Amino acid sequence: MPMNVTYHGPQDLPAVIPVFPLPGALLLPRGHMPLNIFEPRYLAMVDHALREHRLIGMIQPDEAHPSLEGKPHLYNLGCVGRMTQFAESGDGRYLIQLTGVARFHVNEELAIDSPFRQCRVTYLFEDDFVARKGEEDVDRASLLKALTAFLKANKLKADWQGIESAPNEALVNALAMMSPYGVAEKQALLEAADLKTRAEILVALTEMELAKKNTEGETPLQ
């Protein structure tokens, strides 16, 4: 597989990809996710991806449905990422970084003799291949207001110079990926139809979290 591949649309991606079920792990197009790989089945998955196309699909287990044959049920929607960094740790682990490419819908899981899971997928979101699509529709002021309140309530600091210089897509997706919310909330952020909707969900989740803190007797924000 050549280096520095650019994907222009669904036609550039394979129909079958290995998938890595990981609760709470949210990958979005052009987002970066570092991973520490140590389980034998996922070491085999990385080896497979390196031989084939350097692509791995990140997807969350859906705990609302029962497991099948010891395998957790998967959500229908995930995001495929390309391995853009790879290193061997020297103690049997791989340290990799995935860069998000596009979201996918699981059509079926393949019944194959493989230590890792593979799925036949469809890439439904054409806009995922267009960088910074819909940035002008994001209410940046509301997003930064919610972020400021969250940081203050949790006594956290942030790199405001980096935040203020970040384009809307990078800001929204980075905040969504690093947000402390649960599996269902992360899935809602993944499934948002566009960047504007994802930002609105992120603001709503943050406001609900802040309201919960206040009702539990935390110090009010103002």
Side-chain angles (χ1 to χ4, degrees):
M1 186 69 186
M3 302 284 285
N4 300 318
V5 172
T6 300
Y7 304 97
H8 299 285
Q11 71 279 358
D12 295 331
L13 293 170
V16 174
I17 56 173
V19 296
F20 187 1
L22 191 60
L26 173 61
L27 179 64
L28 292 166
R30 288 165 292 283
H32 302 294
M33 175 179 286
L35 291 168
N36 176 16
I37 308 296
F38 55 89
E39 289 190 46
R41 55 182 168 170
Y42 297 127
L43 293 171
M45 176 190 69
V46 171
D47 289 339
H48 169 86
L50 286 170
R51 288 193 303 269
E52 296 292 328
H53 39 51
R54 303 193 185 189
L55 296 168
I56 294 173
M58 296 303 300
I59 195 163
Q60 294 195 110
D62 183 0
E63 297 178 355
H65 294 83
S67 299
L68 298 174
E69 299 178 354
K71 297 180 179 180
H73 188 88
L74 302 177
Y75 275 101
N76 290 327
L77 201 74
C79 183
V80 68
R82 178 176 171 83
M83 264 189 283
T84 49
Q85 291 185 26
F86 169 85
E88 297 181 12
S89 65
D91 60 2
R93 294 176 293 124
Y94 289 155
L95 305 175
I96 69 171
Q97 176 178 276
L98 295 182
T99 298
V101 177
R103 289 171 291 172
F104 61 84
H105 179 272
V106 175
N107 297 327
E108 64 171 335
E109 182 171 349
L110 303 188
I112 55 176
D113 184 18
S114 165
F116 53 91
R117 301 169 74 171
Q118 298 185 54
C119 293
R120 189 175 305 280
V121 303
T122 302
Y123 306 96
L124 300 176
F125 299 89
E126 292 278 354
D127 287 350
D128 284 356
F129 297 90
V130 183
R132 305 180 66 172
K133 176 76 172 180
E135 279 195 333
E136 66 279 0
D137 298 323
V138 172
D139 186 346
R140 187 181 180 98
S142 293
L143 183 64
L144 292 179
K145 181 181 177 182
L147 174 61
T148 301
F150 180 85
L151 293 172
K152 182 178 179 181
N154 290 278
K155 298 180 174 62
L156 299 173
K157 295 182 179 181
D159 175 15
W160 281 106
Q161 183 176 356
I163 290 171
E164 290 169 358
S165 64
N168 280 349
E169 181 189 60
L171 179 63
V172 171
N173 287 350
L175 291 176
M177 288 175 61
M178 68 179 63
S179 65
Y181 305 121
V183 169
E185 291 80 9
K186 289 285 185 75
Q187 193 66 25
L189 290 165
L190 174 69
E191 295 182 4
D194 49 42
L195 196 64
K196 175 178 180 289
T197 304
R198 183 171 299 127
E200 291 172 347
I201 293 171
L202 192 55
V203 169
L205 289 171
T206 303
E207 290 177 344
M208 286 190 291
E209 182 68 17
L210 292 171
K212 181 181 176 182
K213 277 182 173 291
N214 287 339
T215 57
E216 290 175 349
E218 297 284 345
T219 303
L221 298 180
Q222 297 179 2

